[in-house]
Amino acid sequence: MLIGANVSMSGKAMFPGAVAEAVSYGATTLQFYIGAPQNTRRKDVSAMRISEGLAAMKTAGLSHLVIHAPYIVNLGNTKKPGNYDFAVEFMRAEVARAEALHAYSMPFHPGAHVGAGADAAIAQIARGLNEIITADQHVTIALETMAGKGTEVGRTFEELAAILDRVTNNDKVMVTMDTCHMSDAGYNVRDDFDGVLNEFDHVVGLDKLSIIHVNDSKNPRGSHKDRHANIGAGTIGFDALYAIVHHPQLTDIPKILETPYVGPDKRHMHPPYGVELNWLKTGNYQPEELTALAQS
């Protein structure tokens, strides 16, 4: 099963350190940000220890490296034209870094229209992708399903399809499903995931699905909040998420956890991924294990 979590690539350990963290959780795939998601400061690829990281992945049997694009890039903002050129230039460089890391795919938050309306944002996002994407790149950009918080674009499958339809090198753009985001957007992930998957297939196409972010939600369906919860601790629930992870149509799709760290206070927080991945692999849901981790 292709399942893993968002890990850290930082400090001196860099890529090999990210692989070691994923291995410690019992993962078979992994995701990380090349730098902090809130800014665009990046180390040169020569400092990332790429050959060591790739060798460590091969030794551990990990595959389908996922590199998440930072949140700070907003191709949908038509009200500040000066930001657009910077966003395109940065994303070109980020794609080049992902290529150097031999990444499989790159989840990308499409952007927000900041009051100009979804149609204007969709047109500009597609325009930006056409300037960023090259025909010979290997890593795909995977537009993420969004919760619809504020003026976010991508809260419906139709909005994602409208972007995809405008991209010239269409084989280089895919979709990331986020279970929390879809539920918060109004899709019935908990009780009718097969129906959600069928709708996605008719509107976008299952062949366009590249990654699944497996997250519970702290809020009711349709809340448009985007607040991730730990597996089984939210409104989607363990049974629904377990069924998604083991869905026969999604066997070859990497599933990545982005659930919150737990701990007694902000200075003592622990990643939950080893516990949660074990639950999702075995079906043996033991919430007290996470409670114990949070108290340690």
Side-chain angles (χ1 to χ4, degrees):
M1 179 166 50
L2 285 170
I3 189 164
N6 188 75
V7 297
S8 173
M9 187 188 76
S10 61
K12 293 181 179 179
M14 296 305 286
F15 192 0
V19 175
E21 183 183 349
V23 170
S24 75
Y25 302 142
T28 54
T29 185
L30 72 161
Q31 170 184 285
F32 56 73
Y33 293 87
I34 296 175
Q38 304 90 352
N39 65 53
T40 55
R41 294 191 296 273
R42 296 291 183 266
K43 289 186 177 181
D44 189 83
V45 293
S46 62
M48 294 179 188
R49 301 175 60 186
I50 293 174
S51 60
E52 295 172 73
L54 292 171
M57 280 187 65
K58 184 176 181 180
T59 299
L62 272 66
S63 65
H64 294 73
L65 172 63
V66 177
I67 302 291
H68 204 306
Y71 308 140
I72 198 168
V73 174
N74 181 12
L75 288 177
N77 187 350
T78 61
K79 293 194 169 186
K80 292 185 177 179
N83 291 3
Y84 174 82
D85 290 339
F86 172 80
V88 168
E89 182 180 353
F90 173 80
M91 280 301 298
R92 281 176 179 158
E94 195 80 335
V95 167
R97 285 184 282 266
E99 286 278 281
L101 285 156
H102 295 215
Y104 154 73
S105 194
M106 177 181 284
F108 179 70
H109 292 189
H113 64 72
V114 296
D119 289 345
I122 285 167
Q124 181 160 284
I125 292 164
R127 173 189 159 205
L129 290 171
N130 280 328
E131 293 185 37
I132 294 162
I133 293 170
T134 61
D136 60 349
Q137 72 183 59
H138 296 96
V139 63
T140 58
I141 295 176
L143 304 175
E144 190 162 336
T145 58
M146 302 307 294
K149 180 176 64 177
T151 64
E152 284 178 340
V153 175
R155 62 184 177 176
T156 67
F157 299 154
E158 286 79 9
E159 287 185 348
L160 293 176
I163 298 170
L164 291 166
D165 288 346
R166 291 169 168 82
V167 176
T168 302
N169 291 303
N170 193 264
D171 61 318
K172 307 300 182 184
V173 63
M174 304 287 280
V175 173
T176 300
M177 274 189 170
D178 186 300
T179 55
C180 170
H181 296 176
M182 289 191 297
S183 180
D184 282 20
Y187 291 98
N188 194 355
V189 173
R190 178 189 176 100
D191 299 314
D192 187 22
F193 183 72
D194 279 338
V196 174
L197 208 58
N198 184 59
E199 183 176 348
F200 179 86
D201 191 25
H202 281 83
V203 175
V204 178
L206 272 178
D207 61 322
K208 282 295 182 184
L209 182 57
S210 181
I211 302 153
I212 299 176
H213 284 161
V214 183
N215 301 301
D216 216 325
S217 175
K218 291 184 178 180
N219 293 100
R221 179 161 62 97
S223 63
H224 304 295
K225 295 287 188 181
D226 185 6
R227 294 187 66 207
H228 296 187
N230 291 103
I231 302 299
T235 57
I236 299 173
F238 176 77
D239 290 344
L241 295 172
Y242 179 82
I244 290 168
V245 165
H246 292 269
H247 198 288
Q249 288 181 274
L250 307 177
T251 303
D252 297 329
I253 306 295
K255 294 96 180 169
I256 301 290
L257 275 65
E258 302 173 317
T259 49
Y261 278 31
V262 298
D265 56 61
K266 290 183 179 179
R267 293 180 301 170
H268 303 90
M269 301 296 284
H270 311 289
Y273 304 129
V275 172
E276 293 179 329
L277 288 176
N278 183 59
W279 293 344
L280 290 170
K281 287 190 288 186
T282 66
N284 186 21
Y285 176 52
Q286 300 289 335
E288 63 274 12
E289 293 179 341
L290 205 59
T291 302
L293 181 64
Q295 294 171 348
S296 64

